[in-house]
Amino acid sequence: MAALTGKQYKCSTDEAYDTCSQGTTSIQVLIGDHPRPPVLSLQASGVAAEATTKLTEFAPEALELAHVNPRGQIVDWLKQQSGKTSAQTTFGDWNVEFSTESDSEAPGAILTLTDKLCKVNCGAE
């Protein structure tokens, strides 16, 4: 989280996640004593198409600051999801899921990465 704070993101913590935001984008990282975070969620708010574009622009820096690899492949895949409402794939040790929300109080686009190697306390309660 220090890397995100250093880039002028506003960070806070709730019961399960550290959340850092800047404008209409944010990254949530599951808190715990894991060797690496088992869940990362990148979000962009707004109308689905615009939010997907914002998410695609935000992902390279956010994944780099979170030390996620292979981030280049993940970002390239995310770019290919433009116009879709959901998609899933796997890169390395990460399960990757893209989705959009349009009929909710918080419309936008979400990219969630889940560590396949995590065996204990791998998700929020």
Side-chain angles (χ1 to χ4, degrees), residues 47-120:
V47 177
E50 293 172 11
T52 300
T53 299
K54 289 178 194 172
L55 184 65
T56 301
E57 293 168 355
F58 171 61
E61 179 179 60
L63 295 176
E64 179 179 359
L65 294 172
H67 305 291
V68 171
N69 283 306
R71 68 181 153 268
Q73 291 175 300
I74 295 168
V75 170
D76 288 344
W77 175 82
L78 178 60
K79 289 176 183 175
Q80 296 170 15
Q81 307 318 307
S82 180
K84 297 180 182 177
T85 57
S86 65
Q88 299 179 20
T89 192
T90 301
F91 289 104
D93 297 328
W94 296 103
N95 289 322
V96 181
E97 183 175 353
F98 167 76
S99 62
T100 60
E101 292 282 336
S102 56
D103 297 328
S104 71
E105 291 181 19
I110 304 165
L111 181 69
T112 303
L113 289 79
T114 307
D115 184 357
K116 295 189 307 184
L117 301 178
C118 187
K119 303 297 181 210
V120 178

Side-chain angles (χ1 to χ4, degrees), residues 15-53:
E15 290 180 25
Y17 287 91
D18 283 329
T19 301
C20 292
S21 60
Q22 188 177 69
T24 59
T25 57
S26 65
I27 180 171
Q28 292 183 314
V29 181
L30 184 66
I31 299 169
D33 58 358
H34 312 285
R36 68 179 187 180
V39 179
L40 294 153
S41 178
L42 280 60
Q43 303 172 11
S45 60
V47 177
E50 293 172 11
T52 300
T53 299

